[in-house]
Structure formats: C-alpha cells, structure tokens
Amino acid sequence: MDFTSRFVALGDSFTEGVGDDDPTRPNGVRGWADRVAEQLGAADPGFGYANLAIRGRKLRHILAEQVDAAVELNPTLVTIYAGANDILRPRIDIDDLLVEYDDAIAKMRATGATVVMFTGFDARGSKVFSTMRGRTAIYNELVRGIAGDHGALLVDYWRFSEYYDWGMWAQDRMHMSAAGHANMAKRVLDVLEHDHSIDIPPMTPVPELSGVDALRANARWFREYAGPWVVRRVTGKSSGDGLTPKYPELIRL
C-alpha cells in the first residue's frame, strides 16, 4: 500500500505500550502510540503506522536500532522517548548521551518529518524512583533545548500532575496503566493539535495502606517486580531480550 501519511514511533517500554495489556496485539500490549495511530488514521485512508519500540532499550540502543530504520520508512511524523532506562543506571553521563540524542533528532528532522519528544516524569510520589528526580530534571532541560533547537514538538510529561494518581500506573509501579496510556494519547494528540475521541478506561482504585498492610504490599511488589528488575540490571539482561518490534513495517491498524 502507498501511504501518504506515515507515523513511526520509537523508544522503549513507554512507547511499546507495556502496562496496557492486550493479548490480541503483537507483544501483548496496546499503549498510547497505538491509540494515537488509531485516531490519526480514522479519517485518513493513506495513513500508515509503524512502532519500532522495544522494552528495556537504553538510549544508545534506540538510536542505533531504530533511527535509521525509521528514516527508511520516510516518516511524516516521528515520536521518540529515549533515556529513561539510562537514568535508572548506577552511572550515567547525561550530557554525552544527549549529544547523541541531539544528532538523532537533527537527522530525523532533516527528513521533513514532524518530530515529537518527551520529557521524563517527575516521580516525586515514589519512594524508590524519586531519588532520580535530579537526574531527570537535568535530562529534561537538555531535551527542551534539543526540541527548541530543531523545531521538534514537546510533550512535557514532567508537568502532568494527573499521573500522581496511582490509578494511572500498572501494578508494577513502573509503567502506565491502560488509563495512563489513554491519557498520554490524548496529551500527544493535543500537542499535535489533532481532534480526538479517546475515553479514559476506568482506573483501578488503589487503596491507601498503612502499617503492616503497607509493608506486605511493598514486599510483594519487590518480590514480583522490583527484585526481577534489579536482577536483570545486575546480570546485563533486558525485559526486551528476544522481542521484535510490534509493527516494524507500516500498517493500517
């Protein structure tokens, strides 16, 4: 099929759609990017969509594996979020990484495509991930500069206070829930100034726990999610090992 509008989504688990389970889709997830593609393609018979994102990928892996592949698809719209997995590592040189990110954005903008970037989320409500607020703030300022220098659009995740509601997050406390992904799709479409009709799925109530109940819940979370995550980091493994992109070629959803 000869597509006249081509949306290519790049990144890690955030863009792949982890947390928004859908067993009918490749890799078992839907996500905000699929939802955006559905809205953009609803009234455009020439619309095509590819999603190259793979969970667990760090910034340099995303740039090496996905940028040239995206350019080859001759995109008219690109979204990219990269760097979150780097920020969580024990050591990181954010300035060096963002120089490479800048080069990649310049390369994609040179195609004439609209490029959409994201800041990182302010995880101040998490006792674990709030320790990375300083790193994320530095990353965000550099991302804002790159977006401004190259005329990229910016989805400012850092400022989205609705994500302080734990109902926006999946049980692993690391990825957005279905409601979180639907809300992010609305946020992206707003930045694109595109009409949409997205309903936010009901959020699963998250009870306020204290004392022994809170300790038990946290222990269960560490055993089921945080512990395996730490083990993968220590052993150099990734949740995306063995996975391929959901939609490596342009399709109509």
Side-chain angles (χ1 to χ4, degrees):
M1 182 175 180
D2 188 16
F3 297 103
T4 55
S5 300
R6 297 166 295 277
F7 167 31
V8 184
L10 284 63
D12 52 28
S13 59
F14 173 81
T15 301
E16 185 188 349
V18 176
D20 186 8
D21 296 338
D22 185 342
T24 69
R25 301 193 183 219
N27 296 354
V29 293
R30 186 181 183 187
W32 66 264
D34 284 16
R35 295 167 186 267
V36 167
E38 291 159 7
Q39 295 291 312
L40 295 177
D44 183 355
F47 180 83
Y49 167 57
N51 190 321
L52 309 182
I54 296 179
R55 65 194 72 179
R57 291 297 195 261
K58 293 191 286 186
L59 187 145
R60 287 192 172 104
H61 292 132
I62 292 169
L63 302 187
E65 297 171 1
Q66 300 176 26
V67 170
D68 286 345
V71 170
E72 290 179 3
L73 293 173
N74 192 24
T76 56
L77 170 65
V78 175
T79 62
I80 181 169
Y81 182 23
N85 288 313
D86 298 85
I87 289 172
L88 296 173
R89 291 306 192 275
R91 295 181 182 179
I92 175 178
D93 189 326
I94 296 176
D95 297 284
D96 279 356
L97 282 176
L98 271 290
V99 168
E100 297 179 39
Y101 203 12
D102 184 288
D103 292 342
I105 299 302
K107 185 173 187 176
M108 291 187 289
R109 284 289 291 141
T111 68
T114 297
V115 175
V116 179
M117 303 176 69
F118 296 78
T119 57
F121 178 62
D122 180 6
R124 66 187 186 191
S126 168
K127 293 181 180 179
V128 175
F129 299 111
S130 62
T131 59
M132 300 296 172
R133 289 186 78 203
R135 284 184 176 184
T136 305
I138 294 170
Y139 167 88
N140 287 349
E141 281 306 297
L142 294 172
V143 164
R144 291 187 181 105
I146 293 170
D149 289 345
H150 297 292
L153 300 178
L154 185 68
V155 178
D156 205 347
Y157 196 9
W158 178 268
R159 299 181 179 179
F160 295 169
S161 59
E162 64 267 31
Y163 286 92
Y164 298 145
D165 187 327
W166 280 107
M168 287 285 188
W169 297 88
Q171 288 185 342
D172 66 6
R173 307 182 191 176
M174 302 177 193
H175 300 99
M176 295 182 294
S177 64
H181 277 281
N183 185 76
M184 186 58 66
K186 295 179 71 169
R187 286 288 197 169
V188 172
L189 289 162
D190 286 342
V191 167
L192 291 173
E193 298 182 348
H194 192 284
D195 292 336
H196 54 79
S197 56
I198 294 179
D199 294 323
I200 305 297
M203 290 189 289
T204 301
V206 180
E208 290 286 341
L209 301 176
S210 60
V212 174
D213 290 336
L215 289 173
R216 286 174 177 167
N218 288 335
R220 183 169 57 252
W221 170 74
F222 188 85
R223 182 174 62 253
E224 296 180 2
Y225 301 108
W229 180 82
V230 170
V231 170
R232 287 197 299 272
R233 297 304 176 272
V234 171
T235 59
K237 297 181 179 180
S238 169
S239 56
D241 289 346
L243 288 182
T244 56
K246 292 167 61 177
Y247 303 115
E249 302 293 338
L250 293 166
I251 64 162
R252 280 192 62 83
L253 283 182

